[in-house]
Amino acid sequence: KQEVTQIPAALSVPEGENLVLNCSFTDSAIYNLQWFRQDPGKGLTSLLLIQSSQREQTSGRLNASLDKSSGRSTLYIAASQPGDSATYLCAANYGNNRLAFGKGNQVVVIP
Amino acid sequence: EPEVTQTPSHQVTQMGQEVILRCVPISNHLYFYWYRQILGQKVEFLVSFYNNEISEKSEIFDDQFSVERPDGSNFTLKIRSTKLEDSAMYFCASTSGGRLNTGELFFGEGSRLTVL
């Protein structure tokens, strides 16, 4: 079964610290992996998409790495801000955009 | 910036009633999806739709569910006779495709369905 796990489930950090969010997937036969942000009661905002052939992808303060062979991806958020408080979801794409989601990393950035 | 829009944002219905959730995907996208998220649980795939037919569906998408693209812009999810366990946030998503249909997926804000 294609399971996606995110650790830690929740974390709080003081403003300015770097965030490291981990995602692991059991089946490494992915086409790509997508990171999303979800605010409470809201939709999913796409942050980064990493193709299976890529090692990392960057957008502003966000950097996502992918190690397909070991079934892991990491999302780094540099110099965290209170506005970064949200739940971050990773989703592995096994083809035809049938995404397998993790349960999310719930982040609180303390001012 | 183009976005996926969904209506209604919240619907409350009685068990056994029919519900239609509506979505307007991004205009040049060709592939459409419904996902759902039961409170506190993972986001789950329901169905994918391309070229006016279902491409793939999950085991959740039983005979009570149907999808339709009634015109050139709307994409709907119908639940024929709602059950308590259908209470969830339903997300519509779309993509332009890409190799093996693995392009970036864009989600709407969701429709929260509460079944009483």
Side-chain angles (χ1 to χ4, degrees):
Chain A
K1 195 175 177 187
Q2 294 159 343
E3 288 286 338
V4 177
T5 305
Q6 292 187 246
I7 294 172
L11 71 159
S12 297
V13 298
E15 182 178 358
E17 267 198 19
N18 297 331
L19 280 162
V20 181
L21 308 177
N22 296 301
C23 170
S24 60
F25 42 96
T26 55
D27 183 348
S28 62
I30 63 170
Y31 287 91
N32 61 44
L33 187 137
Q34 202 165 347
W35 281 92
F36 295 90
R37 170 182 171 139
Q38 185 177 30
D39 292 289
K42 298 293 188 180
L44 308 178
T45 301
S46 178
L47 297 174
L48 289 167
L49 172 73
I50 317 178
Q51 299 295 347
S52 61
S53 57
Q54 295 177 313
R55 298 284 292 183
E56 65 177 329
Q57 194 68 251
T58 298
S59 175
R61 293 185 295 113
L62 275 57
N63 174 277
S65 67
L66 176 64
D67 184 342
K68 187 181 165 185
S69 60
S70 65
R72 285 185 298 191
S73 177
T74 301
L75 178 67
Y76 302 89
I77 304 177
S80 60
Q81 302 168 358
D84 294 329
S85 298
T87 297
Y88 293 84
L89 303 175
C90 78
N93 188 345
Y94 290 99
N96 295 319
N97 272 323
R98 182 172 180 153
L99 302 185
F101 279 83
K103 209 168 178 183
N105 305 108
Q106 187 176 7
V107 171
V108 174
V109 180
I110 303 164
Chain B
E1 187 173 323
E3 58 182 17
V4 176
T5 58
Q6 291 186 240
T7 55
S9 57
H10 188 194
Q11 181 155 356
V12 181
T13 190
Q14 295 291 325
M15 191 169 54
Q17 295 296 304
E18 176 184 282
V19 161
I20 297 177
L21 305 178
R22 291 182 167 78
C23 169
V24 178
I26 294 173
S27 62
N28 63 341
H29 285 183
L30 302 174
Y31 300 83
F32 314 114
Y33 308 82
W34 285 100
Y35 283 76
R36 79 172 185 188
Q37 185 178 33
I38 295 172
L39 189 64
Q41 297 188 22
K42 294 182 178 182
V43 177
E44 304 171 288
F45 169 81
L46 291 178
V47 66
S48 60
F49 190 87
Y50 170 70
N51 201 25
N52 279 320
E53 61 182 25
I54 290 174
S55 307
E56 192 172 356
K57 59 184 180 180
S58 72
E59 56 280 2
I60 302 168
F61 195 89
D62 60 23
D63 292 344
Q64 294 297 317
F65 291 89
S66 62
V67 289
E68 194 179 34
R69 189 157 164 82
D71 53 43
S73 59
N74 289 287
F75 178 52
T76 63
L77 174 70
K78 182 192 288 186
I79 309 174
R80 192 157 53 90
S81 177
T82 50
K83 303 190 275 275
L84 295 177
E85 55 264 37
D86 294 328
S87 295
M89 183 77 98
Y90 288 81
F91 292 109
C92 174
S94 69
T95 184
S96 56
R99 186 178 75 88
L100 294 171
N101 184 21
T102 55
E104 187 175 6
L105 211 51
F106 294 89
F107 283 78
E109 287 286 298
S111 292
R112 179 168 298 284
L113 176 65
T114 301
V115 182
L116 302 176

